[in-house]
Amino acid sequence: MLYKTISKNLLFVISFLFVCFLAASCSFVHSDEYKPKQQNKKEFSNDFEKPKILGTIKSKEIKESSGLAASRCNEDVFWTHNDSGDENFIYAIDKTGDKLGTWQVAGAENDDWEDIATIKNKQGECVLYIGDIGNNSRTKSEMTVYKVKEPKVTKNNSSQKKPLATEKAEAIKFTYPDMRHDAEALLVNPETEDIYILSKRFSGASGVYKLSDYKVGQSKPLENIGKVSVPALPNGLLTGGDISSDGSRVILCDYYNAYEIVLPKDAKKFDE
């Protein structure tokens, strides 16, 4: 389908995206058809340290991590979830990959969860957004993003058999304005709480869709605000992303690399 400085937690996320491929939404494709483009070392940013393996996910409950987000309220905590085939569970892990707990998202269903985002809103509350946005067969005309208050995390023995429960999630429904899309990248602007969905395309640039002024219980069409292309083949095969806590930078990833987009200093709006 994303910083004046990038926080420590987001650097951990980038490291996971680059090296560990912990999130299946940014996992490695084994097909020779999509080998990464050979890039000159000068093309890579000098703003980041070389990626390091911080750890590996050890929990047998996390079989296909399909989204990864750094908590804004729980220090050194990351949230992840499985792809389709799991129930409505989210998992807290630390930066080494050790599981801290299992939560069942009240009021939510996991049809094809693909990405997760976290923000701290203007009221100081931390909120999780879970994107049920996968649509490989293009059979679904309406998609869902679940919005739920982030739980307080202390290491515990919760599991899929005995999970803790989140507060009830709000179901935000939407449709595409043009055609049915598959998507794996969910971004949420921490300043406006606008939701961005980036389509996953095998040919052509990824479509950028925006949802604002959304209300629970009402389905609303997304706004198509443009396209984004990354320097790779395919150029629109985006599988994840995030927006920095100050809203000034964006990280997008495909199957092989992560890409940084920096907003101009004179930009009046995030997506203008």
Side-chain angles (χ1 to χ4, degrees), residues 88 103-109 146-148 165-170:
N88 53 333
W103 278 259
Q104 192 159 27
V105 183
E109 296 180 3
Y146 292 105
K147 178 182 178 181
V148 63
T166 69
E167 294 187 8
K168 187 174 181 180
E170 299 177 352

Side-chain angles (χ1 to χ4, degrees), residues 7 15 26 57 91 100 102-103 120 128 174 189 213 222 231 239:
S7 70
S15 296
C26 292
I57 293 178
Y91 308 91
L100 302 174
T102 300
W103 278 259
K120 178 181 280 189
L128 301 175
F174 67 85
N189 187 320
D213 298 323
L222 299 172
T239 57

Side-chain angles (χ1 to χ4, degrees), residues 68-92:
L68 184 69
S71 172
R72 310 291 190 187
C73 285
N74 296 285
E75 186 176 359
D76 291 340
V77 170
F78 298 84
W79 291 99
T80 189
H81 56 81
N82 283 315
D83 206 321
S84 57
D86 195 8
E87 295 182 39
N88 53 333
F89 296 118
I90 54 174
Y91 308 91

